[in-house]
Amino acid sequence: MRKAIQYEYGGPEVLRIIEADRPEPGPGEVLVRVRAASVNFGETKLRTGVAKAGPLPFTLGSDLSGTVEATGPGASRFQPGDEVYGVRFVGTYAEYVAVQEDGLALKPDVLDHVGAAALPVAGLTALAAVEEARCGPGQRILIHAAAGGVGHLAVQLAKEKGAFVLATARAAKHDFLAGLGADEVVDYTTTDFTQAVRDVDVVFDLVGGAYGPRSLDSLRPGGLLLSAVLDPGLDENEAEKRGMRYKWVSLRPTSSELEKLTDLVTRGKLRPHVERTYPLEELTDAHRAADAGRVTGKLVVTV
Ligand SMILES: NC(=O)c1ccc[n+]([C@@H]2O[C@H](COP(=O)([O-])OP(=O)(O)OC[C@H]3O[C@@H](n4cnc5c(N)ncnc54)[C@H](OP(=O)(O)O)[C@@H]3O)[C@@H](O)[C@H]2O)c1
């Protein structure tokens, strides 16, 4: 089978495609013939070694959509031929991958493999944030990097819960976000969001660094700052000192959480947007585009 691999940390050029043996599904695992896997921003940090994915060499890729080829000992949830999507921490940029069955769910019928591969990591992160925020009618939430992978799904999930959604993105992406239901969009390249947005109940920060402490300026007293980034720029103490709350959120990579996403897309409440697909052989180009940080929705690699 073909799979991506990197023997060293570095830029997108360290990603190679090699021929390798098919893995065998271990206990509780299923072997999936991967059809698509998406690019997630956090992979840059794994690829460069800023965050650790395990010893070199390794294969990146955290979401997948494909077809069950075989099941390992004790795995009973899926049958060969089932179309599934889900999460594996790393290793999905490959023709075949063995995945714990609890990291998978049946692929929503309304999505093809490209659409389904765009959903797991970004969608589960957006879901975790919107649930933590307890979004509902009368509540105002500001979402940073709203046009990106996690952000564009968080906008839709917060709207579905009835919240008033404010978002930051450059002007070229405002129509896209309005189409997803954002009520107000701030062009952060020309406007200081801390001046334009005040007294919101929740900020979901997907940028980090200085955006963390600055986001407190947009919150009402007692408001909640959620961050999903590696460098949130502040801690609980700093938020508490200003009479606000802070929490780091992360995805819950389980079948039952994936099934919530399946339900939402099946009811037409959630749609991943795929900016572009790349064949596995062009993974380097996909990573170059992701590194630039300007993606609208998701980039997907077809295998
Ligand atoms: N904790 C977890 O479980 C988890 C899971 C997934 C992702 N994450 C993290 O969440 C973050 C977002 O990931 P992602 O995959 O959604 O990223 P992404 O798709 O690469 O985000 C790209 C978007 O970011 C926007 N952006 C960049 N700088 C901005 C700024 N200063 N203000 C507003 N928007 C800005 C860009 O829009 P413009 O062109 O308008 O700038 C672009 O649309 C990453 O740090 C990632 O590591 C965490």
Side-chain angles (χ1 to χ4, degrees), residues 185-232:
V185 191
V186 177
D187 180 355
Y188 71 91
T189 66
T190 58
T191 306
D192 178 350
F193 73 83
T194 65
Q195 299 302 314
V197 180
R198 311 290 292 187
D199 288 325
V200 295
D201 301 286
V202 180
V203 178
F204 182 27
D205 183 17
L206 292 161
V207 177
Y211 264 53
R214 288 179 67 213
S215 291
L216 296 177
D217 295 338
S218 292
L219 278 175
R220 67 164 168 77
L224 174 65
L225 172 60
L226 297 172
S227 180
V229 305
L230 210 56
D231 167 25

Side-chain angles (χ1 to χ4, degrees), residues 4 6 15 34 36-40 42-43 46-47 53 58-64 86-94 97 121 280 283 287 301:
Q6 66 178 95
L15 300 167
V34 179
S38 85
V39 182
N40 288 289
E43 279 166 41
L46 299 173
R47 195 195 65 224
F58 59 79
T59 298
L60 286 177
S62 301
D63 348 64
L64 65 103
V87 181
R88 187 184 196 273
F89 175 51
V90 283
T92 64
Y93 292 140
V97 66
V121 169
L280 181 64
L283 181 61
H287 264 237
V301 174

